[in-house]
Amino acid sequence: MIDFFQTLHPITQALYATLFTWGMTALGATLVFATKTLNQKLLDSMLGFAGGVMIAASYWSLLAPAIEMSEHNSIGSWFPAAFGFLLGGVFLWGIDKILPHLHPNAPIGTAEGYHPKERKRSTLLVLAITLHNIPEGLAVGIAFGALANGGTEASLAGALTLALGIGIQNFPEGVAVSMPLRGEGMSRRRSFFYGQFSGMVEPIAAVIGALAVAFIEPLLPYALSFAAGAMIFVVAEEVIPGSQEKGNKDLASMSLMIGFVVMMILDVALG
C-alpha cells in the first residue's frame, strides 16, 4: 500500500485516504439492512471505542509531531501546539453553536445550534455526525499535506495509520445515524443514505487541509494541533456524553480505553 501511495501527490493521497474513511462510514450504515435496532450496549461501546481512537490520534498523530516540528521556535516548542489546539477547539465550538444538530439517541428537544426546531430529526442527526467528520477529514488531509514539505516514508506510514484509525472509528458513526432513523420507521434505503452521507464531508475537508499546508510549511504545526483540538472538542462535547447517556458508563469508558490502546499501537508500531 505504501508503495502505491508513494507514486501519488500528497493531495491525491489525502483524497484516496478519506474516500476510505467515508467508505467505512457507509459500511457501518449498511447494518441497517440486517436489523431494525441495535443493542444499546453495543452501540455505546462502539461510540466509546471511537472516542478512544480520536483521543489517541490527536496526540500521537497530530500534537506530538507538531511539538517536534516546533523544536526551534523562538517563542517555545510548546506555542504552536498550544495555540493551534485551543484555536481548533474554539473553531468547533463556534460551529457547534451555529450548525443545527442532534446527538445520537438524544430527544429532539435537546437539539443544538441555530433554530434546530425548524429541522427534521433526520437532518439534525446527519449534521451532528458531519460535525464530527470535519476535524477528522482535516486531520487526515493535513497529515498527507505535510509530505509535500519533504516527508519521509515513515511519515507516509503515519498518515496512512491515521487514516486507518479514523476509518475504524467511522464505522460506529455510520451506525449511530442509520440505526436511530430506521428505528423511527424510516426505510432501510433512506436510513442507509443518510448514514453514509454524513461521511461525505471528510474527503472535502481533507483536500482543504492538504492544500492549506502542502505549500505553506510554517502553518504545519499550527494546522496539526488545530485538527487535534477540534477532534478533542468533539470527543469531550459529543462522543463521550453520547456513549454514556443511556447508563452504560463503565462499558463506554472501558471501550474508550480499548480504542485508545488500539490507535496507540497502530501509530507506534506502523507509523
Side-chain angles (χ1 to χ4, degrees), residues 90-166:
V90 170
F91 175 75
L92 257 291
W93 172 81
I95 293 181
D96 189 68
K97 295 301 180 184
I98 297 172
L99 186 71
H101 64 283
L102 177 67
H103 299 183
N105 302 318
I108 189 67
T110 62
E112 302 175 10
Y114 186 70
H115 291 167
K117 295 181 180 179
E118 298 177 4
R119 305 297 198 279
K120 294 181 179 179
R121 181 180 179 86
S122 58
T123 303
L124 293 171
L125 283 170
V126 172
L127 289 175
I129 304 301
T130 300
L131 182 65
H132 293 188
N133 289 337
I134 291 174
E136 295 166 11
L138 282 174
V140 174
I142 291 167
F144 281 101
L147 303 178
N149 290 316
T152 64
E153 182 177 347
S155 61
L156 174 58
L160 288 170
T161 302
L162 175 61
L164 176 61
I166 295 296

Side-chain angles (χ1 to χ4, degrees), residues 147-194:
L147 303 178
N149 290 316
T152 64
E153 182 177 347
S155 61
L156 174 58
L160 288 170
T161 302
L162 175 61
L164 176 61
I166 295 296
I168 291 172
Q169 68 90 40
N170 272 3
F171 183 88
E173 290 187 349
V175 177
V177 175
S178 60
M179 283 300 182
L181 295 178
R182 177 57 183 159
E184 293 177 3
M186 185 176 288
S187 70
R188 285 186 169 90
R189 187 171 298 178
R190 289 188 65 195
S191 298
F192 166 76
F193 174 79
Y194 282 120

Side-chain angles (χ1 to χ4, degrees), residues 225-244:
S225 52
F226 177 93
M231 288 177 64
I232 291 297
F233 180 88
V234 167
V235 173
E237 205 274 338
E238 296 198 15
V239 177
I240 293 178
S243 68
Q244 298 184 356

Side-chain angles (χ1 to χ4, degrees), residues 4-218:
F4 168 72
F5 267 79
Q6 282 180 318
T7 64
L8 304 174
H9 189 276
I11 295 175
T12 306
Q13 293 170 348
L15 177 61
Y16 279 20
T18 46
L19 288 175
F20 161 74
T21 62
W22 178 14
M24 290 296 291
T25 305
L27 184 62
T30 61
L31 289 185
V32 78
F33 292 107
T35 180
K36 186 175 181 178
T37 60
L38 190 67
N39 182 277
Q40 188 63 48
K41 289 185 177 180
L42 177 58
L43 181 58
D44 290 343
S45 65
M46 293 169 71
L47 287 174
F49 181 89
V53 169
M54 292 174 72
I55 293 172
S58 295
Y59 176 72
W60 270 279
S61 297
L62 300 170
L63 278 177
I67 294 173
E68 291 177 5
M69 293 174 187
S70 306
E71 183 178 356
H72 302 294
N73 187 283
S74 58
I75 300 177
S77 59
W78 55 268
F79 180 78
F83 181 81
F85 183 84
L86 293 175
L87 186 62
V90 170
F91 175 75
L92 257 291
W93 172 81
I95 293 181
D96 189 68
K97 295 301 180 184
I98 297 172
L99 186 71
H101 64 283
L102 177 67
H103 299 183
N105 302 318
I108 189 67
T110 62
E112 302 175 10
Y114 186 70
H115 291 167
K117 295 181 180 179
E118 298 177 4
R119 305 297 198 279
K120 294 181 179 179
R121 181 180 179 86
S122 58
T123 303
L124 293 171
L125 283 170
V126 172
L127 289 175
I129 304 301
T130 300
L131 182 65
H132 293 188
N133 289 337
I134 291 174
E136 295 166 11
L138 282 174
V140 174
I142 291 167
F144 281 101
L147 303 178
N149 290 316
T152 64
E153 182 177 347
S155 61
L156 174 58
L160 288 170
T161 302
L162 175 61
L164 176 61
I166 295 296
I168 291 172
Q169 68 90 40
N170 272 3
F171 183 88
E173 290 187 349
V175 177
V177 175
S178 60
M179 283 300 182
L181 295 178
R182 177 57 183 159
E184 293 177 3
M186 185 176 288
S187 70
R188 285 186 169 90
R189 187 171 298 178
R190 289 188 65 195
S191 298
F192 166 76
F193 174 79
Y194 282 120
Q196 64 82 32
F197 184 82
S198 63
M200 189 180 297
V201 70
E202 287 197 6
I204 299 171
V207 171
I208 293 173
L211 285 170
V213 302
F215 306 109
I216 311 176
E217 186 173 357

